[in-house]
Amino acid sequence: MTTTALLPRPAPDASPEPEALPAAAPKRGTSERAAVVAASLAMVFQPILQPTGPGHTSPVDLFTLATLLFTGVWAATCGRRLGAPYVLPMSLLIIGGGIAGLAGPLPGTSLLQLVQDLVLIAWTAALFNLARRPHALGTLTAALAYSAVGWAALLDLASVAHISAVEGISEADGNRLLFTFGDPNYAAAYWVVAILVVYATRRPRRRAARLAGYALLLWAFALSESNGGLLELVIGVVFVAAVRVWRRHGLVASIAMVLATAALLTTALNAVPLGTVQNWAAQSGQPLLVNSIGRSDNSTSQRGTLISESMQLYYSNGVLGTGPRTTKQLLTDRQYPYAKEAHDDYLAALTERGPLGVIGIVTLVLAGVMRSGRVLRAPPGRGAFGAQVPRPAGLVAALLAMAVAGAYYQVLHFRFVWILLAFVAVLAAGPARELVARSGRFPAPGAAPTRPSPPPAPPFRSAALRPAPPAPAPFSSVPSPPSPPRPAAPPPGAGGRPPAAPPPPTTLSGLSPALRAPGSPGHRRAPGPTGLGRRSVVTNLAAQGVALLVVSVASLLVARLSGAAVLGQYTLLRVLPWLVGVVVSCGLPVASTYFLAARPDDRRLRPTLAVLAAAGAVLGTALWLVLTPLLQRVLFAGLPKTLIALMGVTVVTQLLTVWGKACCQGSGDMRGANLVIVCEELLFLPAYAGALALGLHGIEAVAAGMVGGGLAATVTALTRLALTGFGRGWARPTREMAGEVLRYGARGQLGNVLMLVNLRLDFVVLGALAGPAVLGVYAVASKFAELMRLPAAALNYVLYPRFARQEPREASADARRLLPRALAGTLLLTPVVAGAAVLALPVLYGRAFHGAVLPALILLVGLAVEGAAAVSSAHLCGVGRPGANSLGMGAGVVITVVLDILLIPRHGAVGAAVASSVAYLVTTSMLTTISHAVARRASNRAAPPTASRDEEEEEE
């Protein structure tokens, strides 16, 4: 009998995380010490914004520039690897602002704001790198907390003694105390952030002093008389309370607390209407009430006027925007009644920076959300920064409050918002790598590598999607560092681990059983997936969301600049080359993911896939050229043949880009896959802008943008593969493997085509039978309802290679465990999306699209079970049964065809929605049933799963 030695489980209190940063604070007289001191002074003097200098500069900016100077000197001499968070979103904002400013009426004003944006992102990067040094984060957060309490005490004393020079009262703002901020909204936001920073850092350390600090800060906050600040404070406090409940009692209790709070507020507003409270406050005669709650109705009306005026500016100046910080000047010059700066970061991103600004602000929000999620998942008070920021939820709450405030202020101009972004990035990233190396987390440079013991799993995480330990780099041929020498194994029967088995024998073809084709006797799959868990699903969901947003922005640009006809041609040119490429290559991207996940060590596989990709690109381009006359006659009547033929280049670019993305997916390189997902849509925008700048217009500019963006995306995908070692360790490609890949890909691609038919056949039938007006309403409903597909698509994208790496029995057990959880997730998301459809569709599209609400709700009924379909489809394809997956998709197509013909003539858009919803339910039921049967067969099989794969393929 063989016994297995188990590693001892660590003690409950033991933690592999270092409890404090090693080493001492920076030495005196060094540039690092000078940079930390300058940054601390910048924390202290954050409120000192008056008097203002040229270009909206303030006294505090002297310390900001000193921080940048000393940090630059330290960075140039320290020889350490540095980081720069939020570079991508800020680059998009700056590029969008630069394009809008150059094309706008006030380029000088825009240029000044862009310079300030560059200073802010450099300031954030400097704080990020400094705060990761020993004790620096504690020094900076303590300086911010203590100084805020001190400034609040000074303002409170000035209000009692009526010292007007300190109160900062201005005629335009009544008796609202501005201190040295110059803006009551800026002041209120600062006091709210200070309260939450005091909570996060627990500074002052003594409880009595800290409570007194809270009181002083709340008093100073009340003197600002800001309604928006009150909302921010409520959001921050509720979030902190929800996190505390979640940590102590679980997620369900936390959600219940939030819902109870919302119900209580709703009940209070129903019992005492807000209008009644506003009138009472306005007539109370109390200055504090009159200038806060009493004026809230007037403030709302003014913001509505400003939004309307800003949109009029945007429509009159063009889709690129007016340029950063130009709204007030343009409103004044054109004599609008309410000339103010845009009081909304999200609207200003569109009106002042154009579509790239929208993408940038959304990417910035997503980056903040992802980093905040990492901060909240870590146990508070532990790890390298536990003693310096014992309650990190306070910083996340402050950042959340500022994100909400961005809807009615321009908080990206607030300097302390970038401080919060830097601190959250530090907590999410952890201490600098060389610091952790000295504390034993990573091997120090030049030291012998050691293998740390695995940390215990967090008790509050689900085991279903818990990420496994990090995997080696994809396709890497570099051997892993040697493990420490192990003691000699005892002989068999001595109670220890038996001797290691000899290496697998080599077959006549020179391949070990581990490298045989799936289905052949003795085939052994690759080890289970690493890193394909919850984080991969979330990041892929974010990437797909950004890509969807980019496509929407690109469509808006094309529609605004070239009209509906060119938009239709653009849509066809996005789909048709891709369809030609994947069909001619027999579903090569689908097969590449499967084989790279199941057989990563086969040296013949990667060269075979590369040859197939090149052959598919050549054949696809040739087929496109042959079909050019037919395409011109049927779909592109107004386009010259040369332009249609030129778009054959996109057959190559789209096939190679999708194939590169699939190779990243199959190898477990989800970062690379997500990068390509975003780049294949995003790179069209700069290429299209360049074509417009060169004087092209209409479909010529669109075609040039697609070719240029496609080439750039292809280079990105292939470069990613090269950097991850895809081209190393190749053997000669074989015809047998190529045939196996193509057979799998053809069966898998059939399921994808059937899914597209299931999704879009109702559009064709509805347009033919009911006309374009009804089709337009239904298209809006369908697109909105299909937002439900994003989480399921991300789950399927991650689980497919995960299941392919596992043995069939292991994959089946994993799928059976995950399926009910995925189903529950989409079921819980359905009422949220339904409520959003009822509220958002009429607002976004106007009253003419009110009829889209009912079809959207009907479609959501069928999409509510999409989580189960995602897991089942990934399971079937992952265990080598793509034909069974296509069978389930085919059942849905049959239902779609029959019900579309029966229901659409009588009921129009509602009939199409019912037909699609029923088809979705039938498809999910079929996929789930087939997946369950495959899983049951795998679990009941007595022999190893690989022994009967030939029988499975014959049955399929």
Side-chain angles (χ1 to χ4, degrees):
M1 182 177 67
T2 302
T3 59
T4 303
L6 298 178
L7 294 175
R9 180 171 297 183
D13 295 333
S15 174
E17 297 288 344
E19 289 301 326
L21 285 173
K27 297 180 180 179
R28 294 182 179 180
T30 61
S31 56
E32 181 184 358
R33 178 66 172 262
V36 172
V37 171
S40 301
L41 291 174
M43 301 294 115
V44 172
F45 288 96
Q46 277 300 302
I48 310 302
L49 306 182
Q50 301 290 327
T52 58
H56 303 284
T57 56
S58 302
V60 67
D61 293 329
L62 295 175
F63 300 105
T64 300
L65 295 177
T67 304
L68 293 177
L69 175 62
F70 290 123
T71 304
V73 174
W74 167 68
T77 57
C78 68
R80 295 182 174 89
R81 185 176 180 180
L82 306 176
Y86 313 108
V87 167
L88 175 60
M90 283 306 297
S91 299
L92 293 173
L93 286 169
I94 291 173
I95 293 172
I99 295 174
L102 291 175
L106 300 172
T109 304
S110 301
L111 179 62
L112 177 61
Q113 181 58 45
L114 293 177
V115 172
Q116 294 175 353
D117 291 344
L118 289 172
V119 172
L120 285 175
I121 191 60
W123 158 250
T124 306
L127 290 179
F128 173 77
N129 291 287
L130 286 176
R132 297 179 73 191
R133 304 296 298 159
H135 308 291
L137 181 61
T139 301
L140 298 178
T141 54
L144 184 60
Y146 281 120
S147 63
V149 174
W151 294 124
L154 178 61
L155 178 60
D156 297 340
L157 178 62
S159 67
V160 174
H162 301 290
I163 305 174
S164 57
V166 178
E167 290 177 319
I169 296 177
S170 67
E171 295 181 1
D173 294 293
N175 66 337
R176 304 173 72 183
L177 272 61
L178 312 183
F179 193 40
T180 54
F181 293 98
D183 182 354
N185 296 325
Y186 199 128
Y190 175 80
W191 300 126
V192 171
V193 169
I195 291 170
L196 294 171
V197 169
V198 168
Y199 170 82
T201 59
R202 302 186 71 176
R203 302 293 180 93
R205 295 189 182 278
R206 293 187 178 181
R207 181 180 179 84
R210 193 162 60 250
L211 293 177
Y214 285 137
L216 293 172
L217 290 169
L218 286 172
W219 187 359
F221 165 76
L223 294 174
S224 68
E225 301 176 0
S226 173
N227 295 312
L230 180 61
L231 176 61
E232 298 155 24
L233 182 61
V234 170
I235 289 174
V237 171
V238 171
F239 181 82
V240 166
V243 172
R244 287 179 65 90
V245 173
W246 167 59
R247 293 195 184 281
R248 294 184 178 183
H249 306 289
L251 181 61
V252 175
S254 178
I255 295 175
M257 189 277 290
V258 173
L259 294 177
T261 304
L264 181 62
L265 293 175
T266 304
T267 304
L269 291 177
N270 288 332
V272 183
L274 183 59
T276 303
V277 176
Q278 291 171 340
N279 292 333
W280 169 80
Q283 299 171 6
S284 64
Q286 298 293 328
L288 180 62
L289 296 176
V290 171
N291 292 311
S292 57
I293 300 176
R295 64 173 181 84
S296 58
D297 188 38
N298 186 38
S299 299
T300 303
S301 175
Q302 291 174 345
R303 283 194 169 87
T305 302
L306 184 59
I307 290 173
S308 176
E309 293 175 349
S310 300
M311 293 306 299
Q312 292 177 29
L313 275 183
Y314 179 66
Y315 292 139
S316 62
N317 282 276
V319 73
L320 296 178
T322 61
R325 208 159 192 144
T326 57
T327 299
K328 182 178 180 179
Q329 186 62 47
L330 291 176
L331 291 177
T332 303
D333 294 344
R334 300 178 186 183
Q335 298 180 351
Y336 280 87
Y338 191 70
K340 295 283 186 180
E341 290 290 354
H343 280 52
D344 185 336
D345 273 318
Y346 307 104
L347 179 63
L350 173 64
T351 60
E352 295 183 350
R353 301 174 189 260
L356 278 179
V358 175
I359 299 173
I361 194 73
V362 171
T363 308
L364 180 62
V365 171
L366 291 176
V369 169
M370 293 175 61
R371 287 183 167 91
S372 299
R374 295 181 198 167
V375 173
L376 293 177
R377 285 196 298 269
R382 299 176 61 185
F385 296 119
Q388 301 179 48
V389 185
R391 295 169 176 169
L395 296 181
V396 176
L399 196 58
L400 173 63
M402 292 301 99
V404 174
Y408 45 86
Y409 304 152
Q410 283 187 279
V411 299
L412 291 182
H413 298 162
F414 297 175
R415 294 161 177 82
F416 55 81
V417 169
W418 296 95
I419 296 175
L420 289 175
L421 287 169
F423 288 168
V424 169
V426 169
L427 293 175
R433 187 178 182 89
E434 69 276 1
L435 299 181
V436 187
R438 276 183 278 168
S439 64
R441 180 86 177 272
F442 295 103
T450 58
R451 184 169 301 188
S453 58
F460 55 89
R461 286 195 180 182
S462 168
L465 290 178
R466 182 177 298 140
F475 312 122
S476 176
S477 61
V478 180
S480 303
S483 303
R486 296 184 179 181
R497 189 183 299 273
T506 304
T507 62
L508 294 176
S509 60
L511 295 176
S512 68
L515 305 181
R516 293 180 182 175
S520 61
H523 166 69
R524 186 178 76 249
R525 291 195 167 213
T530 54
L532 299 178
R534 183 184 305 166
R535 180 176 297 178
S536 298
V537 174
V538 173
T539 54
N540 183 259
L541 176 60
Q544 293 196 44
V546 171
L548 179 62
L549 178 63
V550 172
V551 171
S552 302
V553 171
S555 301
L556 176 64
L557 274 174
V558 173
R560 287 289 305 274
L561 297 178
S562 303
V566 175
L567 177 62
Q569 294 167 346
Y570 165 65
T571 303
L572 288 174
L573 290 175
R574 286 186 68 247
V575 175
L576 291 178
W578 167 83
L579 187 61
V580 170
V582 296
V583 170
V584 169
S585 65
C586 294
L588 177 64
V590 177
S592 298
T593 300
Y594 172 76
F595 282 92
L596 285 172
R599 299 161 59 183
D601 298 325
D602 194 333
R603 297 173 60 237
R604 305 171 304 161
L605 176 61
R606 285 172 280 141
T608 303
L609 295 178
V611 170
L612 291 176
V618 172
L619 293 177
T621 305
L623 179 61
W624 180 270
L625 295 176
V626 171
L627 294 176
T628 295
L630 179 63
L631 292 173
Q632 184 191 36
R633 186 167 58 251
V634 177
L635 297 175
F636 304 106
L639 300 185
K641 287 184 179 180
T642 54
L643 181 62
I644 300 174
L646 176 65
M647 297 309 295
V649 176
T650 61
V651 175
V652 179
T653 59
Q654 292 201 34
L655 176 59
L656 294 183
T657 302
V658 174
W659 173 72
K661 177 174 60 178
C663 290
C664 292
Q665 178 191 10
S667 68
D669 179 21
M670 284 299 162
R671 286 188 176 182
N674 294 337
L675 173 67
V676 179
I677 287 174
V678 175
C679 286
E680 66 179 333
E681 306 296 350
L682 179 63
L683 293 176
F684 167 77
L685 294 178
Y688 182 50
L692 294 174
L694 293 175
L696 299 178
H697 56 85
I699 190 61
E700 290 84 3
V702 171
M706 295 185 69
V707 172
L711 290 173
T714 301
V715 170
T716 301
L718 298 182
T719 301
R720 182 70 185 191
L721 291 182
L723 292 177
T724 52
F726 184 83
R728 292 198 294 263
W730 281 15
R732 178 174 296 182
T734 63
R735 185 178 302 175
E736 294 78 8
M737 178 165 290
E740 189 178 355
V741 170
L742 293 179
R743 285 193 297 272
Y744 181 96
R747 289 180 292 159
Q749 190 60 37
L750 176 61
N752 289 342
V753 173
L754 291 174
M755 182 180 67
L756 288 176
V757 172
N758 201 12
L759 286 174
R760 294 295 174 256
L761 182 63
D762 49 357
F763 279 50
V764 178
V765 179
L766 186 63
L769 298 180
V774 177
L775 177 60
V777 173
Y778 180 73
V780 169
S782 178
K783 289 293 185 181
F784 193 91
E786 286 176 7
L787 292 175
M788 283 281 295
R789 285 190 174 275
L790 281 180
L795 186 63
N796 179 275
Y797 197 87
V798 173
L799 291 183
Y800 176 27
R802 169 170 169 160
F803 291 152
R805 290 182 174 222
Q806 297 172 332
E807 291 287 349
R809 284 194 291 184
E810 183 183 356
S812 298
D814 205 8
R816 294 173 74 171
R817 184 173 63 253
L818 290 174
L819 193 145
R821 303 180 185 185
L823 176 61
T826 49
L827 286 174
L828 291 175
L829 188 61
T830 301
V832 177
V833 179
V838 173
L839 297 175
L841 286 179
V843 174
L844 294 176
Y845 294 94
R847 295 183 179 179
F849 289 88
H850 184 76
V853 173
L854 181 58
L857 297 179
I858 296 173
L859 288 169
L860 287 174
V861 175
L863 293 172
V865 297
E866 193 67 17
V871 176
S872 301
S873 178
H875 172 237
L876 291 174
C877 293
V879 298
R881 303 294 300 271
N885 180 66
S886 300
L887 178 63
M889 297 292 182
V893 172
V894 173
I895 298 297
T896 300
V897 172
V898 174
L899 292 184
D900 278 349
I901 296 175
L902 292 178
L903 298 179
I904 288 178
R906 286 188 177 182
H907 305 286
V910 173
V914 171
S916 295
S917 187
V918 172
Y920 297 155
L921 293 172
V922 170
T923 301
T924 302
S925 300
M926 286 289 296
L927 290 175
T928 306
T929 302
I930 297 173
S931 174
H932 181 72
V934 171
R936 186 176 60 235
R937 183 180 302 176
S939 61
N940 292 337
R941 190 173 294 143
T946 55
S948 59
R949 292 293 296 274
D950 287 330
E951 298 176 5
E952 289 183 20
E953 302 220 355
E954 290 175 4
E955 293 174 4
E956 183 175 310

